[in-house]
Amino acid sequence: MSRGIHSSDDARRLARRRLPWMVFDYIDGAAGCETGTVRTRAAFDALTLRPRILRDVSDRSLGVSIFGQQTRAPFGISPMGMCNLSGPAADMMLARLAAREQVPLGVSTVASTAMEPLIEAAEGHAWFQLYFSGDGTGTFKLVDRARVAGYDTLVLTVDVPELGRRPRELRHGFTMPFRIGPRQFLDFALHPRWSLAMLFKGRPEPANFRMPGYDFDRTESRAKADWTMLSKLRDRWPGKLVVKGVLYREDAVALKEAGVDAIQVSSHGARQLESAPAPICALREIQSAVGADYPLFYDTGLRSGEDVVKAYGQGAHFTFLGRILQFAIAAGGEEGLQALWDVLRAETSITLALIGATSPRDPLIAEG
Ligand SMILES: Cc1cc2nc3c(=O)[nH]c(=O)nc-3n(C[C@H](O)[C@H](O)[C@H](O)COP(=O)(O)O)c2cc1C
């Protein structure tokens, strides 16, 4: 069932209608005047894919192997905080999708569902995303907890030493938990479907900070993260370590030398530094610095199957989708999410056929 979703734009349009303005703008918004979003889109649009012909593309596959695991799709689910704002139990919908598609679900430090039920629902296909904060005491407790919960991949996000300023969020007075003043009251009253669902299911809150015997300070600064901390984390974490939010080749080389298992090229969906380069433009350079075999992941600005294929063409070994998945949930719940996923799968598969390729890592794609 399509739920009226034939593209990620459809999902966004429907979500805009159904979500309170405050929630839509929290998910959709970006840093500053949002030129980062525009730059990213323009960079994708400037890349072209050359159609190659008569290559028998009847047998195509979308799955790839990451860290020795075979996925069913060429994209996974980016870690996102407070997903349950897009719809009740959105985190669980994403986890079940990860299980079905055997792709990684990024479980945010500030997820609105605790990390334990999420990895269970994802049938193990979950990676824990870590924000370093304060002096690291709480952070390392989260790391140990993730290990006990069965996570074997940790994603350290490094592009949030301070939270970027997103005026669209700030204008609505977006805070967690909500403060409900007259403006928010009107907003919620005008979106009764969302508001009633939240009333029955309860207000979403960051769920990982509730830790027995430890009082987590959610307001701690993230600014102290440095290379010494990274090396401590590397020593402490026996599993795979991914660093997310890398845009600079020298940083990528240093991360590889520090024993990091993969790098995720990302500008956090243009939500942090407005003037950051379009991350899709950084992929090739970073790949040439770390070598073609070193695992390189990509997120930010992926809106279609053609975008996904372009990211593989620039050197990505795997890609991650972000806010459009939340829009699909807001638009049509779990069916809406599956509908968008199917659209993206179909778009990717058709794109491969049209350029004469049979898989996302077909060397032909990199030839452009
Ligand atoms: C609402 C929202 C919350 C996010 N929360 C987190 C988070 O907690 N941790 C993190 O590493 N990235 C977070 N991100 C960034 C995503 O992981 C990802 O980098 C980004 O959404 C990709 O860009 P896209 O939305 O254009 O696809 C968040 C993004 C959004 C839209």
Side-chain angles (χ1 to χ4, degrees):
M1 200 187 288
S2 78
R3 311 285 300 193
I5 298 174
H6 303 284
S7 68
S8 70
D9 252 11
D10 284 346
R12 181 175 181 271
R13 192 173 30 79
L14 290 166
R16 181 172 221 158
R17 234 184 269 159
R18 294 186 184 161
L19 289 172
W21 312 314
M22 181 178 88
V23 175
F24 178 80
D25 282 337
Y26 160 65
I27 299 169
D28 192 54
C33 300
E34 309 199 357
T35 56
T37 310
V38 178
R39 188 176 313 110
T40 297
R41 188 63 252 153
F44 269 108
D45 291 343
L47 288 171
T48 55
L49 296 166
R50 214 181 319 200
R52 300 289 306 272
I53 57 167
L54 299 174
R55 296 179 61 91
D56 185 356
V57 288
S58 54
D59 188 14
R60 302 188 299 280
S61 59
L62 290 182
V64 296
S65 164
I66 28 169
F67 295 149
Q69 296 239 359
Q70 189 63 28
T71 67
R72 289 193 177 142
F75 32 74
I77 303 163
S78 286
M80 287 179 285
M82 304 306 301
C83 286
N84 287 354
L85 284 171
S86 60
D91 283 320
M92 285 307 231
M93 295 176 196
L94 292 166
R96 287 190 287 269
L97 177 66
R100 286 194 300 278
E101 292 290 309
Q102 304 192 350
V103 296
L105 163 76
V107 174
S108 165
T109 292
V110 282
S112 39
T113 305
M115 64 170 95
E116 292 83 1
L118 283 178
I119 191 168
E120 201 184 317
E123 295 172 9
H125 297 281
W127 295 358
F128 185 67
Q129 177 270 319
L130 187 72
Y131 281 130
F132 180 87
S133 66
D135 66 356
T137 311
T139 307
F140 282 109
K141 284 196 185 295
L142 274 178
V143 171
D144 294 342
R145 179 174 156 194
R147 198 171 154 189
V148 171
Y151 286 82
D152 53 25
T153 302
L154 195 65
V155 180
L156 176 72
T157 298
V158 291
D159 54 9
V160 191
E162 293 289 350
L163 200 62
R165 282 180 67 81
R166 301 168 202 141
R168 264 207 270 167
E169 242 173 63
L170 298 168
R171 274 181 220 123
H172 291 296
F174 182 88
T175 53
M176 260 305 132
F178 305 139
R179 254 178 295 133
I180 304 185
R183 192 190 165 97
Q184 288 81 8
F185 186 82
L186 175 70
D187 191 5
F188 292 167
L190 289 172
H191 299 92
R193 206 161 91 166
W194 181 93
S195 305
L196 285 172
M198 289 295 152
L199 201 66
F200 288 116
K201 294 279 179 184
R203 194 166 60 169
E205 288 209 30
N208 285 322
F209 296 120
R210 274 184 240 117
M211 289 224 256
Y214 182 73
D215 199 9
F216 212 103
D217 178 3
R218 278 164 36 185
T219 62
E220 277 179 334
S221 162
R222 294 174 183 160
K224 277 199 158 77
D226 62 8
W227 290 92
T228 311
M229 176 280 297
L230 179 76
S231 127
K232 248 168 81 181
L233 184 63
R234 181 63 289 185
D235 289 346
R236 184 134 165 187
W237 180 257
K240 298 287 187 201
L241 180 60
V242 181
V243 172
K244 171 175 180 280
V246 181
L247 289 168
Y248 192 52
R249 55 177 289 148
E250 274 76 6
D251 285 342
V253 171
L255 289 167
K256 183 182 176 190
E257 280 165 6
V260 166
D261 298 291
I263 285 170
Q264 189 148 330
V265 173
S266 162
S267 70
H268 211 104
R271 292 165 76 80
Q272 283 297 107
L273 179 67
E274 183 182 1
S275 302
I280 190 70
C281 300
L283 259 174
R284 274 250 164 98
E285 193 187 312
I286 291 182
Q287 190 203 36
S288 74
V290 294
D293 293 335
Y294 184 80
L296 209 54
F297 305 149
Y298 179 84
D299 78 64
T300 295
L302 295 167
R303 299 291 176 264
S304 69
E306 291 203 6
D307 288 350
V308 170
V309 173
K310 287 176 183 178
Y312 277 89
Q314 296 299 302
H317 290 200
F318 197 64
T319 60
F320 287 87
L321 306 170
R323 39 165 86 75
I324 56 173
L325 300 178
Q326 292 204 59
F327 291 147
I329 292 171
E334 195 152 11
E335 280 178 24
L337 177 63
Q338 188 63 52
L340 178 63
W341 194 268
D342 292 343
V343 164
L344 292 160
R345 283 187 66 97
E347 287 175 346
T348 307
S349 178
I350 292 167
T351 305
L352 290 177
L354 295 177
I355 62 171
T358 52
S359 75
R361 291 202 195 143
D362 194 321
L364 187 78
I365 303 176
E367 291 169 20

